[in-house]
Amino acid sequence: YMAPGYPIKLPDNYRHNVYKAIHTFPGPGIYQILMQDPNRNLGVKNIPNSVNVVFAIKTTFIINGNIGNNNSPILLNPPKDKAALGHRFIHNPVAFDPDGDSLSYEISVCLEQNGKPIKNYTLPPYSDTLYVDSKTGDLIWDSPIDTGKYNVAMTIYEWRNGIRISSIQRDMQIEVFKTENSPPENPESQYFCVEAGKTIIFTLTTIDKDNDRIIQQLFGGPLILSNNPASYIIENSGYGYSKLKFEWNTNCNHVRKLPYQITLKSQDINED
C-alpha cells in the first residue's frame, strides 16, 4: 500500500512515492522483489519505443540464519539529475548500509516487464567514457555528446564476510541540455579518521566562475543516524560561492569497520 503522506510532488514534474508491505517468507533461500510500473517516458533516446516499455527495478537477497539479520542499503541521493552537453557528469546514489556491510557497484542494463533486460537497450552516447566506479558508486559520464532524455542503471551489491547477500538496482533518467552555463566547482575529496567521542568539524566551499548563486546539499549515513546524527548549516553564501559547515559529535555506537561516506551536491541558480 501507499505509505501515509505520499505521493509527494517535487520540482520539475517529479513525484516521490513510498510503498509499504509486510511479507512472511516460507524459509531460508534466495528471494527477489520486483517493482514495475507502466510506462517509461516518451522519447527516451537509448530505449527504443520507450513510452511502451515498462519501468522495472528489483532487489535480490538471501535469507539464512547463518548470515543473521540484515537491512538493505538505503540510497540517500534522489535519482534525479540534469547534465550539460559536453560537460563531465557525475551522480552518486549515496548508498548507506545500516549494518556496516561492504558495498560494490557496477553499471547495468535497464529492466522492463518481469525484470528482464530491455531489448536493444544501449548506453547513452559519450565522448570518452561512461562507467560506475566499483568502490565509490560514482556514475561518471564523460561526457554527453547529444541532448535529450536518457535512462541509465546501476546495481549495488551488499557483502558480508566475503559473501554477497543482496543486490539492488537504481534506474534513473538524466536529461541533457545545451547550455553556456559553467557548473559549480566543489572542493577535492577529504578523508578523516577520528576517535569515538571526538567531534568532527569541517567546511566545504563551492565556487562558481559565472558568479551564480549556489545551493549546497549534503547526503550521507551520518546525517540519518538515530543516535546523535551529524548536521550541517550554510555558513556563508553569496554570488559565486557558498560555504557549508559540517559537525558530528561521534560516540562509541558509531564505530564500524568501514568508513562513512558523505557526498556534497552543488547546484547553481543561473539567472540568465
Side-chain angles (χ1 to χ4, degrees):
Y1 66 93
M2 183 80 73
Y6 292 91
I8 297 175
K9 291 185 178 180
L10 301 175
D12 299 323
N13 295 317
Y14 286 96
R15 192 173 76 171
H16 183 193
N17 293 356
V18 172
Y19 302 94
K20 290 189 175 183
I22 297 175
H23 181 74
T24 302
F25 292 90
I30 300 175
Y31 296 94
Q32 185 178 102
I33 297 176
L34 173 70
M35 180 271 179
Q36 55 188 32
D37 184 22
N39 284 348
R40 292 177 181 268
N41 290 339
L42 174 69
V44 177
K45 287 193 169 182
N46 61 327
I47 297 179
N49 195 24
S50 59
V51 73
N52 291 317
V53 177
V54 167
F55 170 87
I57 49 177
K58 65 182 179 181
T59 179
T60 303
F61 56 92
I62 296 174
I63 296 179
N64 187 322
N66 294 326
I67 293 175
N69 294 333
N70 183 45
N71 293 282
S72 296
I74 305 168
L75 308 186
L76 299 175
N77 190 8
K80 56 188 183 71
D81 250 328
K82 297 178 181 178
L85 183 67
H87 288 271
R88 192 168 188 250
F89 170 86
I90 300 177
H91 172 87
N92 191 294
V94 192
F96 173 66
D97 192 277
D99 307 312
D101 294 317
S102 300
L103 302 177
S104 64
Y105 308 81
E106 70 176 18
I107 200 162
S108 54
V109 175
C110 294
L111 304 179
E112 59 179 335
Q113 192 166 3
N114 299 321
K116 296 181 179 180
I118 295 175
K119 294 178 182 178
N120 298 321
Y121 171 85
T122 58
L123 290 175
Y126 49 86
S127 61
D128 184 61
T129 188
L130 193 162
Y131 69 98
V132 171
D133 188 298
S134 63
K135 294 182 178 179
T136 67
D138 282 344
L139 168 67
I140 300 174
W141 185 0
D142 190 9
S143 56
I145 61 174
D146 196 8
T147 58
K149 294 179 285 189
Y150 299 91
N151 281 175
V152 294
M154 71 169 71
T155 302
I156 302 163
Y157 298 104
E158 181 185 18
W159 303 82
R160 182 179 297 177
N161 299 324
I163 300 172
R164 195 169 79 187
I165 60 175
S166 82
S167 67
I168 59 176
Q169 187 171 34
R170 157 150 291 188
D171 184 314
M172 63 182 294
Q173 182 169 290
I174 305 167
E175 191 160 3
V176 180
F177 294 89
K178 185 177 181 180
T179 177
E180 301 300 322
N181 178 53
S182 299
E185 298 177 8
N186 281 335
E188 294 292 328
S189 298
Q190 301 181 48
Y191 301 89
F192 298 91
C193 182
V194 63
E195 181 183 349
K198 302 294 185 179
T199 299
I200 303 175
I201 299 177
F202 59 83
T203 60
L204 297 171
T205 301
T206 300
I207 60 173
D208 186 90
K209 60 184 179 183
D210 297 325
N211 285 324
D212 295 326
R213 289 196 176 273
I214 299 168
I215 298 173
Q216 287 180 304
Q217 292 177 285
L218 272 189
F219 302 95
L223 296 162
I224 66 165
L225 296 173
S226 58
N227 184 323
N228 211 30
S231 62
Y232 72 93
I233 60 170
I234 303 301
E235 196 171 59
N236 195 7
S237 65
Y239 287 100
Y241 72 95
S242 182
K243 184 169 76 171
L244 173 154
K245 179 181 177 182
F246 172 90
E247 184 170 350
W248 187 16
N249 297 314
T250 66
N251 60 44
C252 290
N253 292 317
H254 301 143
V255 175
R256 68 178 202 167
K257 292 181 180 180
L258 297 173
Y260 293 89
Q261 180 181 355
I262 294 287
T263 297
L264 171 64
K265 182 177 181 180
S266 300
Q267 177 183 351
D268 62 350
I269 306 172
N270 184 253
E271 298 174 350
D272 294 337

